[in-house]
Amino acid sequence: MATEQDLHMNGGDGETSYANNSLIQRKVLMKVKPILKEHITKVYTNIDVSDCLKVADLGCSSGPNTLLIASEIMGMIDEISLRLKKKKTPAFQIFLNDLPSNDFNTIFNSLPDFYKNLQHEKGHNFGPNCFILGAPGSFYGRLFPENSIHFFHSSYSLHWLSQAPEGLIGRGLNKGNIYIEKGSPEAVWKAYFEQFEHDFKLFLKDRSVELVKGGGMVLTFIGRSEHEELTLPTLIGMALHDMVLEVQRYI
């Protein structure tokens, strides 16, 4: 679909880049860290991943947060291996997934320094045994072979829908908005709920095929109650509305 080519976070490492404007997302990653540790521990201790642990980060975007989760997971597994007195920490295959238009170049350019720091912090065995790969594509479709991934992680991504709700297209029910507003009619709420339900079912169905038996997932995304106002979508919507009005002045 067209959105897969058009939508992405602002790339690079400049002042307005996502890399330099993702502090909230980083705080969320750190807040969820105990939950992540609990579930990655269950996976590692309950299934045989002695040779290579395969992890996929879905909706990875770009910037320092992208490789932070990989570093955290590897540190957790190394700690568990030492505690369980296993002979060695397994190799790691980390798949970074986002839409094809994501700034993967910036991520890959940062890998040499990442591997170097990894070896410095965790020992010389980590660099050669860590393999980070890109997996571009929508996570609302298949991304990996059957029974191939031990652990899926996604943070602040699954609240993005695959498309505008079909029930709203061409009906003018949510005119001027790109989200559910406090005063939006019931039909708008219903359309967004049905689109999310459709997308999330697709997501879970595909991950269930790709996940090895006994594997796990940790998914973090924004939710809201019927009467709760979301600040970030409101600000984005206001900015887009002002931009459209500015363009219309010159047409």
Side-chain angles (χ1 to χ4, degrees), residues 186-228:
E186 185 177 346
V188 172
W189 288 85
K190 185 173 184 292
Y192 271 94
F193 174 79
E194 289 177 349
Q195 186 63 50
F196 174 79
E197 186 177 48
H198 172 268
D199 287 348
F200 199 47
K201 283 181 178 178
L202 284 179
F203 176 89
L204 293 177
K205 179 183 177 183
D206 289 329
R207 301 298 81 77
S208 69
V209 174
E210 298 164 348
L211 200 63
V212 303
K213 186 177 180 179
M217 293 192 292
V218 169
L219 312 175
T220 309
F221 50 98
I222 298 174
R224 66 182 293 178
S225 67
E226 185 175 346
H227 303 291
E228 183 181 6

Side-chain angles (χ1 to χ4, degrees), residues 112-126:
D113 286 339
F114 175 76
Y115 288 136
K116 184 178 180 181
N117 291 334
L118 196 63
Q119 291 183 50
H120 176 72
E121 293 173 7
K122 304 184 185 298
H124 68 280
N125 288 329
F126 263 83

Side-chain angles (χ1 to χ4, degrees), residues 87-240:
K87 290 182 179 180
K88 64 174 182 177
T89 301
F92 297 92
Q93 211 169 23
I94 311 290
F95 296 94
L96 302 179
N97 159 260
D98 212 310
L99 296 176
S101 52
N102 183 54
D103 185 10
F104 285 102
N105 284 339
T106 296
I107 299 173
F108 297 146
N109 285 335
S110 68
L111 285 180
D113 286 339
F114 175 76
Y115 288 136
K116 184 178 180 181
N117 291 334
L118 196 63
Q119 291 183 50
H120 176 72
E121 293 173 7
K122 304 184 185 298
H124 68 280
N125 288 329
F126 263 83
N129 288 318
C130 173
F131 306 92
I132 295 179
L133 306 94
S138 171
F139 48 52
Y140 292 124
R142 283 289 304 277
L143 293 166
F144 306 101
E146 294 182 15
N147 303 313
S148 62
I149 303 297
H150 296 107
F151 195 82
F152 283 108
H153 172 268
S154 182
S155 183
Y156 262 41
S157 297
L158 278 163
H159 48 268
W160 295 104
L161 302 178
S162 66
Q163 62 177 56
E166 290 187 1
L168 298 182
I169 296 175
R171 297 179 63 186
L173 292 174
N174 206 34
K175 189 174 181 180
N177 292 317
I178 61 167
Y179 59 98
I180 305 172
E181 202 174 35
K182 207 168 186 179
S184 295
E186 185 177 346
V188 172
W189 288 85
K190 185 173 184 292
Y192 271 94
F193 174 79
E194 289 177 349
Q195 186 63 50
F196 174 79
E197 186 177 48
H198 172 268
D199 287 348
F200 199 47
K201 283 181 178 178
L202 284 179
F203 176 89
L204 293 177
K205 179 183 177 183
D206 289 329
R207 301 298 81 77
S208 69
V209 174
E210 298 164 348
L211 200 63
V212 303
K213 186 177 180 179
M217 293 192 292
V218 169
L219 312 175
T220 309
F221 50 98
I222 298 174
R224 66 182 293 178
S225 67
E226 185 175 346
H227 303 291
E228 183 181 6
E229 195 73 36
L230 288 180
T231 304
L232 182 59
T234 301
L235 293 175
I236 294 174
M238 290 171 61
L240 288 174

Side-chain angles (χ1 to χ4, degrees), residues 66-81:
T66 301
L67 297 176
L68 174 63
I69 196 63
S71 179
E72 291 290 341
I73 287 176
M74 285 186 283
M76 291 173 187
I77 296 300
D78 189 44
E79 181 184 321
I80 298 165
S81 295

